[in-house]
Amino acid sequence: MMDPGLRIYLESTLKEVSIDCVIFGFHAGELKVLLLKWKGIDGWSLPGGRIYLEESVNEAAVRILQERTGLKEIFLQQFYTFGSNDRYKNMDVEALVKKLEWAFGSDFYDEKYIKRNVSLGYMALVEFEQVVATPDWYTDECMWCEISAVPKLLFDHNEMIEVALKALRRQLSYQPIGYNLLPEKFTMPELQRLYETILGKQLDRRNFQKLMLSYDILEKLPEKRTGGAFKAPFLYRFDKEKYDRAMQEEILFAV
């Protein structure tokens, strides 16, 4: 039998449109994605949810992200709409429906709804050690998973991650990243490692530093990172006003 609170939630939302969030987390040179395990079944998915009747699409995405991560001021944008009429052609939809009925009640899902649901894909960038990952109505466990080790997910969520990663890499050509992913003070090698991790390739050290400084979004500090085995590098921080302006103007970032 369906939980009464879950029934109220479902009845107050749009039925054929949902939001799924690809939440990328970066820390110590690793790029990960947040996954949630569904209650009662052996399946993982991306965080997501439905849109309340009284809220806009973007408001729903922000709400879902805050509920799952506990964070408020972070980078978030829509990257794709998933609406193919055969989105789950590689899944045994009938078997999945039976599992969902067992876990949530016979009227939670039906095969027709699963096949024709439209999902708006949003992606976010966070420093995952700052996240308090919290399950939702459907899930009971959260985990950060390295991009290279993502298991087979429910629905078409593996494809969503692939599309989001491509969108993120394209974005590096016209917008800066790093404000929500690095400490307030960081070294140039740490910034370069972030870009290399997302792009999946190595970058020339001298060219990268020259390029980043040319965009005039970094402030070089008189402090140095101490305690390492090599020469202590200078620390930098983002000039928030210039960083925001670069985000809005979408200048060319030829990384």
Side-chain angles (χ1 to χ4, degrees):
M1 185 174 181
M2 186 184 297
D3 182 284
L6 178 56
R7 181 182 296 279
I8 293 174
Y9 166 73
L10 294 175
E11 290 177 349
S12 64
T13 60
L14 297 177
K15 299 298 185 293
E16 291 81 20
V17 181
S18 61
I19 288 176
D20 289 294
C21 296
V22 181
I23 303 176
F24 292 115
F26 179 82
H27 179 73
E30 294 181 339
L31 187 66
K32 299 187 177 184
V33 63
L34 184 64
L35 302 178
L36 279 69
K37 186 177 185 299
W38 282 55
K39 295 177 180 177
I41 65 175
D42 185 22
W44 293 82
S45 77
L46 294 168
R50 301 195 185 188
I51 305 166
Y52 288 132
L53 297 176
E54 71 277 6
E55 65 185 354
S56 70
V57 170
N58 285 340
E59 288 171 343
V62 170
R63 170 180 56 79
I64 291 169
L65 190 68
Q66 290 180 356
E67 291 172 350
R68 300 290 74 75
T69 67
L71 302 178
K72 294 183 178 180
E73 296 182 6
I74 64 175
F75 171 86
L76 174 68
Q77 72 175 31
Q78 186 178 154
F79 68 92
Y80 199 75
T81 298
F82 297 85
S84 171
N85 60 357
D86 61 349
R87 288 178 62 194
Y88 311 125
K89 61 183 178 182
N90 297 321
M91 289 185 60
D92 186 343
V93 175
E94 183 178 351
L96 177 61
V97 169
K98 290 181 179 179
K99 289 182 179 180
L100 294 173
E101 289 178 346
W102 177 84
F104 300 104
S106 60
D107 52 352
F108 178 71
Y109 267 122
D110 61 55
E111 187 172 337
K112 181 179 179 181
Y113 166 76
I114 286 182
K115 286 185 174 180
R116 287 305 300 133
N117 182 51
V118 173
S119 181
L120 306 178
Y122 278 77
M123 67 176 175
L125 296 172
V126 302
E127 213 292 357
F128 66 70
E129 283 204 340
Q130 298 177 359
V131 171
V132 181
T134 306
D136 55 20
W137 283 106
Y138 317 132
T139 59
D140 57 12
E141 184 180 346
C142 305
M143 77 168 178
W144 287 104
C145 183
E146 292 186 29
I147 294 296
S148 60
V150 173
K152 184 176 180 180
L153 305 177
L154 295 173
F155 313 113
D156 54 354
H157 288 190
N158 290 90
E159 178 187 354
M160 287 185 179
I161 294 175
E162 293 175 4
V163 175
L165 187 57
K166 290 179 181 178
L168 177 59
R169 288 171 174 169
R170 286 195 302 270
Q171 183 180 315
L172 291 183
S173 66
Y174 60 85
Q175 285 184 330
I177 63 167
Y179 185 78
N180 294 307
L181 301 177
L182 294 169
E184 180 183 0
K185 301 176 182 180
F186 52 87
T187 65
M188 190 64 69
E190 289 170 341
L191 179 60
Q192 181 172 337
R193 190 175 183 183
L194 167 63
Y195 273 74
E196 289 178 336
T197 300
I198 293 174
L199 291 172
K201 65 179 182 179
Q202 290 188 331
L203 302 171
D204 180 81
R205 179 180 62 83
R206 291 184 179 180
N207 288 341
F208 179 82
Q209 178 168 322
K210 182 179 179 181
L211 191 64
M212 288 296 108
L213 294 178
S214 71
Y215 296 139
D216 194 30
I217 59 174
L218 298 177
E219 178 186 353
K220 186 176 182 179
L221 304 175
E223 311 165 49
K224 291 186 176 182
R225 174 84 76 220
T226 58
F230 303 98
K231 182 179 178 181
F234 279 100
L235 291 171
Y236 293 82
R237 66 184 173 196
F238 288 109
D239 183 311
K240 185 63 165 59
E241 183 176 342
K242 293 180 179 179
Y243 183 96
D244 289 343
R245 189 184 309 125
M247 290 287 288
Q248 295 172 0
E249 294 177 357
E250 297 187 350
I251 63 177
L252 181 61
F253 275 64
V255 178

